[in-house]
Amino acid sequence: MPLTIPKQRWTAEVQTATIGATEAEGGTRTSTVTIGGEQTLPFLHFDGETPNRPVIAMEVLDEQPSGWPEPLAQHYEDVWGDPAAWAQKAVEEFGADLICLRLLSANPDGSDASADQCAETIQSVLKAVGVPLIIWGCGNDEKDNEIMPFCSQAAAGERCVLGSATEDNYKTICASALADNQMIISESPLDINIQKQVNILVTDMGMDLANIILYQVTGGLGYGVEYAYSILERTRLAALDGDRMLQMPMLSIVGSEAWRVKEAWQSEEDAPEWGPLEKRGIIWEAATATLFLHAGTDILVMWHPEAVTRLRDHIDEMMSGESV
Amino acid sequence: MALTAMDIYKQLPKTNCGDCGIPTCLAFAMKLAQGQASLDECPHVTEDAIAALEGSSAPPMKTVTIGTGDKALDIGGQTVLFRHEETFRNPCGIAIQVNTSLSEEEMRERITTACNTEFDRVGMIFDLDLIALNDDDGSLPQAAQIATEVSTLPLMLMSDDPESMRGALEVCSEGRPLIYAAGADNFDEMTALAKEFSCPLAIRSQNLDELYELSEKAGEAGLEDLVLDSGARELNAVLQNQTIVERAAINEKIKPMGFPTIGFVVGNNEVEKIISASELIAKYAGIVVTDLLTREALLAMVTARLNIYTDPQKPIQVESGVYEIGEPDATSPVLITTNFSLTYYTVEADTSAGNIDAWVVVVDTDGTSVLTAWAAEDFTPEIIAKTIKECGIEEKVEHRIGVLPGGVAVLSGDLEQESGWNIVVGPRESSAIPTFFKTEYEQRIAGF
Ligand code: B12
Ligand code: SF4
C-alpha cells in the first residue's frame, strides 16, 4: 500500500504585493518586485503554489559605518559615504533585487542631517539604480517624523516601502505614504497581537492591505533567532488560515542582526576556538537567513555579497523543486 | 495523542473490584490518563485491551537510541510540527562523516577532532554526537576497529554491502551503532544483521512509497528501532519529504512513518553546506550527517540546533544574585545585568576577556534580555534597587557604585534615588566593557 501524502488544506493565501513603480505606473523604476501569494508554508510544492520567489534586498547606509569587521568592510570601503555608488555596486555587482536604504545620518545624536539632505540622498539613489527602494529613517521617532514626509515626497510615485509604522508611531509615516503612493512597513516587537493592532491602525487611516509589509523584529543566530523564527512561522500559519490582518508578505533584517553577534566579528586572537574570522560572519549571515527563509519570510535584508549569492542560489533551488 | 480517561475506561472490565488498589475502574482510568498508574496494576485487563491501549498511547514518533552509556544519542520522539506549540524533543544529532579510504592516521585524527569538538555557550557545553564511517573502499571492518579504539562517540556504519557491515558489527556492535542502510536490494540481509546484533537500522529508499513499504516490512520483521531516509538529496525534495514524513507520523499517526529521519548535508563549499545544514536542523532531521569539520561551521550548526530546540516559552536563565568574575575584592567594580543566560554569559565572557575582576549583580527578570526586561517593566529602578539591597553585595564591597548597561541609561537617575548607590552608565554592548574599564571608568567615578 503506497503512502497517502498528508496534504494540508489551507483556506487562504498570502497577500501579493508589488514594490516599485515603472514609468508606465507613475514612477521611474526599471524593474519592480512582486512578492507574496504563497498558498503553502515555504517551498512545499506538494501543498500549494509559490507564485513569487522570496527576494534579497541589500542594505545601503547613508554614512560610513563604524566598527565593521574586515571581511565585510572590504567589499564596501570604496563606496562608503556615497550611498548612490553603494547602491549601484549592490545592484550591479552583487545582484540585489532591491535596495534597503537607511538614513542613519539623520540621527540627532550623530550627524543630525536635515530632511533636505535626506531627500537629496534618496533622489541620488533613485537615479543611480533602477530597482525599487525600501527606505528607513534613523530610528529616532521624533526625527524620523520630521524627515519622512520629505523623503517620501522626494520619491513620490515610486512605490517605495517606508519603514516603519509602530504601535506608538504610525500616523506621520502612514500619511506620507498615502499622499505619495508609497508602501509601508508595519512593525511590531515580536508580538502577533501588536502586529495585528498596528495593521488595524494603519488600515483605519486608509492604507490598503496590499501596500503593507510586515516586520516583526529580528534576532541573529545565537542571539534571539529562535523568537523571530517562531513569530514568522506563526504569522504565516495565521495567514494561510485566513487571518486578513496577518496576510501580508514579511521582511527580515538579516545582515545587521547576524553581524551584531559576537561569533560573526570577534577577532581570531580573542576567539581562536571559533575558526577564521573571514569565514565566520558569512556563515553566520547565511545560517540566519536560511532559518528565516524556511520560517516564511519574503524579503531578506542582507549585507555580505557572498552570503547573498549563496542564498540566491538556495532560493533558486527551492523554487525550482517539483511537487513530490 | 494522549488518551483520555474515558478512552481508557472503555477498555477496562468495569467491575469496580478494587484489586488495583483503587476503588473503581473509572478512578483507575483517571490515574492512568495522568500517568500516575500503569496498566499492569489491573490484574483483570484483557489482552485485547492491552493491545488497544498500548497501541494508541504510544507516542507518534519513536525515540531511537544509538550508542550506549552517557554518550548515547536519543533521536526522534517529536510530538509537534512547530516549535511554538511545544518544545521540540530530542535535539537532532550531528554526525561527522569519516571515509574509510582515509589512511589510518588521518582517520584517527579526524575521529579525535570530532570527539573533542565542543563549544561553550550560555554556560553549557555543546558537542557532536556520532561518527559516521562511510565505507567508500570496502574496509569498513578495519575502520570500525580503529573507531572503537579512538572514538568516544557512538558510531554510524554506512555501507550497502552486508558482508562489510557484518564484519564491522562483529567488531563494534556492543556500542550499539546505527546500521546505515537497508534498501530494496539488501533488505533481508541488513534486517537480519540488525536483528542478530540488536542495533538500530536506517532504511533508505528511492521514494516515499518505497520508504513506507520497507519500513512496514521491517516492522513486521520485528525491528523497532528504525531511522528513515527517503533517498532524496536535492534540497527541495528533501524538505518536502521530511515534512511529509513528519506530518504522516505526528498528524496522521501512520505507524511505519513514526520514526526519526536522517538528512545529509550537501553543497559545493562551506557556506552552501551551512545553508543545507540549517535547513535540515530547522526542518525535522533527526540526524544531520556532514563532512564539515571546521570550528566555524560546527559552531554555526550547534548554535542553530540550540536555537531551534530551546523551550520557546521559558528562556534559559541563571539564578539571580551576586556572581564573581576573576577574583574581585571590596574595591572591585559592580556590574548590573539581567538573568537571561545569554545576557549574563555574554557580559561574563567579555568582562573576563578584559581580565577585569568584578562583581555582577544579576536581577531576576524572568530570563529576559536587558531591553526586553526594560520594556516589560521587569528591570525597573525599584526592582534593581531591591536586588542590590537583598543580594548581599553591600557586605562584599566598601563602595556604592554600580555600572548599568548603556541600553537602559534612562534608568540611572531613579535608580540612584531608589538604591542610594551612585550609578555609572556603561557601554551599550558588553563587548566594549574592557575598553570602558581601561579608559573611562576611573574618571567617571572620580567624583563620587
Ligand atoms: C528575543 C527578543 C524578545 C524575546 C525574549 C527574549 C529574552 N529571553 O529576553 C520575546 C519574544 C519574548 C520578547 C518579548 C518582548 N520584547 Co523583545 N526583543 C528580543 C530581541 C529580538 C533580542 C533580545 C536579545 O536576546 N538580545 C541579546 C541580549 C544578550 O542582549 P542584552 O540583554 O541587551 O545584553 C547586551 C547589552 O545590553 C549589554 N549588557 C547587558 N548587561 C550589561 C551590563 C553592563 C554593566 C554593561 C555595561 C552592558 C550590558 O551587553 C549585552 C551584549 O551586547 C530584541 C531586538 C534585538 N534584535 O535586539 C527585542 C526587543 C528587546 N524587545 C522589545 C520589546 C518592546 C518587547 C516586548 C515588550 C514586546 C511586547 N509588548 O510584547 C516583549 C516583552 C516580553 C515580556 N512581556 O516579558 C524591544 C525593546 C524596545 C526598547 N528599546 O525598549 C526590542 C529592542 C525590539 C524592538 N526594536 O522593538 N523579546
Ligand atoms: S483492578 Fe481492574 S477491574 Fe478491578 S477496579 Fe481496578 S481497574 Fe477495575
Side-chain angles (χ1 to χ4, degrees), chain B residues 12-13 15-20 22 24-25 28 42-44:
Chain B
L12 294 175
T15 53
N16 302 333
C17 71
D19 289 348
C20 55
I22 294 162
T24 67
C25 294
F28 178 70
C42 166
H44 312 294

Side-chain angles (χ1 to χ4, degrees), chain A residues 43-94:
Chain A
F43 316 114
L44 299 180
H45 305 303
F46 69 91
D47 247 358
E49 298 284 317
T50 305
N52 301 297
R53 50 180 283 137
V55 294
I56 300 177
M58 288 186 81
E59 196 158 80
V60 170
L61 311 182
D62 71 340
E63 60 182 7
Q64 177 172 339
S66 66
W68 275 20
E70 182 52 25
L72 186 59
Q74 68 184 48
H75 296 283
Y76 295 106
E77 271 159 350
D78 56 335
V79 291
W80 276 352
D82 185 349
W86 186 333
Q88 218 160 28
K89 188 170 190 187
V91 174
E92 285 165 19
E93 261 181 61
F94 307 146

Side-chain angles (χ1 to χ4, degrees), chain B residues 75-340:
Chain B
I75 53 169
Q78 307 303 344
T79 56
V80 294
L81 286 155
F82 302 104
R83 60 184 294 283
H84 62 264
E85 295 174 354
E86 200 182 302
T87 318
F88 283 159
R89 301 291 166 93
N90 306 299
C92 59
I94 298 176
I96 302 299
Q97 184 174 325
V98 178
N99 290 341
T100 58
S101 60
L102 292 177
S103 73
E104 177 169 348
E105 199 182 327
E106 286 168 326
M107 205 181 299
R108 282 178 186 273
E109 196 186 305
R110 214 172 144 75
I111 295 173
T112 311
T113 306
C115 293
N116 291 343
T117 298
E118 44 175 51
F119 299 98
D120 189 343
R121 199 162 219 295
V122 292
M124 293 181 279
I125 299 288
F126 296 95
D127 57 8
L128 309 177
D129 305 285
L130 292 175
I131 301 295
L133 296 175
N134 178 37
D135 194 15
D136 60 345
D137 68 347
S139 69
L140 190 64
Q142 292 86 323
Q145 182 60 48
I146 296 169
T148 43
E149 284 163 36
V150 289
S151 180
T152 53
L153 295 175
L155 304 180
M156 165 175 161
L157 306 172
M158 302 170 66
S159 181
D160 294 340
D161 174 10
E163 273 321 298
S164 226
M165 189 60 77
R166 168 174 290 280
L169 285 167
E170 276 165 359
V171 174
C172 68
S173 69
E174 268 179 27
R176 223 181 124 73
L178 172 65
I179 301 175
Y180 180 95
D185 296 343
N186 60 9
F187 187 80
D188 293 338
E189 293 94 325
M190 287 293 187
T191 44
L193 287 173
K195 260 193 157 161
E196 180 182 341
F197 291 96
S198 307
C199 288
L201 174 70
I203 291 177
R204 186 187 58 221
S205 64
Q206 305 289 332
N207 54 52
L208 288 168
D209 283 340
E210 190 183 86
L211 188 65
Y212 179 91
E213 279 162 27
L214 294 179
S215 173
E216 193 176 38
K217 246 169 86 182
E220 283 161 6
L223 292 176
E224 291 179 349
D225 291 320
L226 303 177
V227 176
L228 307 180
D229 175 4
S230 72
R233 293 294 177 269
E234 188 268 311
L235 279 185
N236 181 254
V238 171
L239 171 72
Q240 295 190 63
N241 285 355
Q242 294 274 125
T243 306
I244 288 168
V245 172
E246 200 85 355
R247 274 189 199 166
I250 292 169
N251 292 352
E252 312 292 326
K253 318 254 181 311
I254 297 176
K255 200 152 177 273
M257 297 285 106
F259 296 96
T261 55
I262 187 166
F264 290 82
V265 171
V266 296
N268 298 315
N269 56 54
E270 205 177 16
V271 182
E272 286 185 7
K273 288 177 187 178
I274 283 298
I275 289 172
S276 161
S278 307
E279 185 207 314
L280 290 170
I281 290 168
K283 293 294 175 175
Y284 312 135
I287 299 177
V288 178
V289 185
T290 178
D291 63 2
L292 288 170
L293 197 53
T294 57
R295 300 286 299 184
E296 66 278 12
L298 294 172
L299 177 62
M301 282 179 69
V302 161
T303 309
R305 174 177 62 176
L306 167 67
N307 285 166
I308 293 294
Y309 281 88
T310 48
D311 183 343
Q313 259 84 46
K314 199 171 182 305
I316 310 174
Q317 29 191 300
V318 296
E319 260 179 67
S320 80
V322 185
Y323 287 73
E324 298 178 11
I325 294 176
E327 291 172 5
D329 60 25
T331 64
S332 301
V334 174
L335 309 177
I336 300 166
T337 191
T338 71
N339 78 327
F340 183 27

Side-chain angles (χ1 to χ4, degrees), chain A residues 166-167 187-192 194 215-220 222-228 231 257 260, chain B residues 312-316 334-338 340-344 346-347 350 360 365-379 402-408 424-433 436-437:
Chain A
T166 62
E167 196 181 15
E187 174 178 336
S188 80
L190 290 164
D191 187 310
I192 293 224
I194 297 178
Y215 170 59
Q216 317 203 43
V217 170
T218 345
Y223 227 63
V225 82
E226 66 272 41
Y227 296 97
I231 288 285
E257 293 292 345
R260 236 181 88 195
Chain B
Q313 259 84 46
K314 199 171 182 305
I316 310 174
V334 174
L335 309 177
I336 300 166
T337 191
T338 71
F340 183 27
S341 275
L342 180 62
T343 302
Y344 171 74
T346 311
V347 171
D350 288 329
V360 189
T365 58
D366 262 342
T368 53
S369 78
V370 169
L371 288 179
T372 307
W374 176 68
E377 300 193 0
D378 286 330
F379 199 55
V403 183
L404 201 61
V408 288
V424 176
V425 175
R428 282 190 85 88
E429 305 275 342
S430 57
S431 51
I433 284 178
F436 171 77
F437 278 103

